[in-house]
Amino acid sequence: MNFRSKHLSLQFINVPSANSQPPVGLIVALHGWGANAEDVASLLPYFQLPNYQFVFPNAPYPHPYSAVGKAWYDLRMENMYEGLAESRQLLTEFIQSLESSTGVPLSRTILCGFSQGGAMTLEVGLKLPLAGLVVMSGYLHPDAVPTEQKDIPPTLVMHGTQDEVVPLQAAVKTQEILQSLGFSVDYREFEAGHEINLQMLEALRNFVFKTIG
């Protein structure tokens, strides 16, 4: 499926809840740099949330080193963060549009992401009235935190202690910055590398039940 904003378009995979009932909630899952929507959608059986609708968006930019990979913005030193403002705008409009297209309100929508997708989860999700945010092996962009805000959605930050791509310190820093502003964060470390493992998905599932039911 396709969502078009003024300048960019965003393709996404839409998976309705497994029964014929209206979904309990909506989960939007963002892939990392060089991956794509299919990668995250392949984990669907492991989420074990059959009563929820899932949406897996593809980032709008091609990846510089992969024919099938996508990017939310450039991470090469010479073009660092190029495309971020456009992706932020696109993703914000897309998430806001889901309320009318799915019938699920933002208050029952969870935004989650891995790696660069985790960074985009914070970039966009901290400013929206969502049910919750889940960040796996992600990081906080400079200036991503809306300092004038009174509240943010419940946030779960998870990271592998052996992560060789995004160091654990990135997660520690995310937690420290959000807590310094008076926001509470559910913070978890796992013995893992740069990956989404079954323990993380179990923690995500428990977080979903806690925040939506």
Side-chain angles (χ1 to χ4, degrees):
M1 301 176 85
N2 207 22
F3 172 80
R4 189 167 291 282
S5 100
K6 232 170 6 189
H7 307 295
L8 287 171
S9 74
L10 180 148
Q11 291 176 313
F12 62 97
I13 298 168
N14 179 44
V15 184
S17 53
N19 53 29
S20 52
Q21 302 300 311
V24 174
L26 177 66
I27 295 177
V28 182
L30 309 179
H31 65 77
W33 200 57
N36 58 37
E38 283 84 2
D39 286 345
V40 196
S42 70
L43 295 173
L44 194 60
Y46 303 103
F47 280 97
Q48 292 180 15
L49 292 164
N51 300 331
Y52 286 74
Q53 182 168 345
F54 279 80
V55 169
F56 303 98
N58 258 328
Y61 298 109
H63 189 264
Y65 311 125
S66 162
V68 294
K70 299 286 186 181
W72 295 101
Y73 54 86
D74 209 331
L75 278 176
R76 291 172 295 178
M77 287 310 293
E78 64 272 22
N79 304 315
M80 188 62 81
Y81 292 129
E82 193 177 293
L84 172 57
E86 293 80 3
S87 271
R88 181 201 306 126
Q89 183 68 27
L90 176 67
L91 196 52
T92 301
E93 289 174 18
F94 173 65
I95 290 166
Q96 288 169 329
S97 79
L98 290 172
E99 201 157 17
S100 60
S101 65
T102 65
V104 181
L106 289 180
S107 60
R108 300 186 77 80
T109 298
I110 284 181
L111 179 61
C112 64
F114 172 71
S115 197
Q116 191 185 51
M120 290 304 294
T121 295
L122 292 167
E123 178 72 32
V124 169
L126 290 173
K127 305 175 186 75
L128 290 172
L130 295 161
L133 309 176
V134 180
V135 181
M136 296 172 278
S137 306
Y139 50 96
L140 191 64
H141 294 140
D143 308 323
V145 183
T147 48
E148 72 289 344
Q149 213 157 313
K150 301 276 189 296
D151 212 0
I152 62 167
T155 301
L156 170 62
V157 173
M158 298 186 275
H159 217 95
T161 53
Q162 318 296 319
D163 195 324
E164 66 294 343
V165 178
V166 179
L168 179 65
Q169 191 53 35
V172 174
K173 193 175 170 188
T174 299
Q175 182 196 25
E176 285 172 353
I177 290 172
L178 292 176
Q179 285 184 336
S180 72
L181 294 166
F183 303 133
S184 68
V185 178
D186 187 350
Y187 177 82
R188 310 280 180 94
E189 291 179 6
F190 295 93
E191 263 192 64
H194 194 64
E195 63 189 300
I196 300 174
N197 66 18
L198 292 176
Q199 284 177 297
M200 287 180 176
L201 290 177
E202 188 184 352
L204 183 151
R205 189 164 54 252
N206 291 334
F207 176 80
V208 169
F209 291 148
K210 197 169 74 177
T211 50
I212 296 182

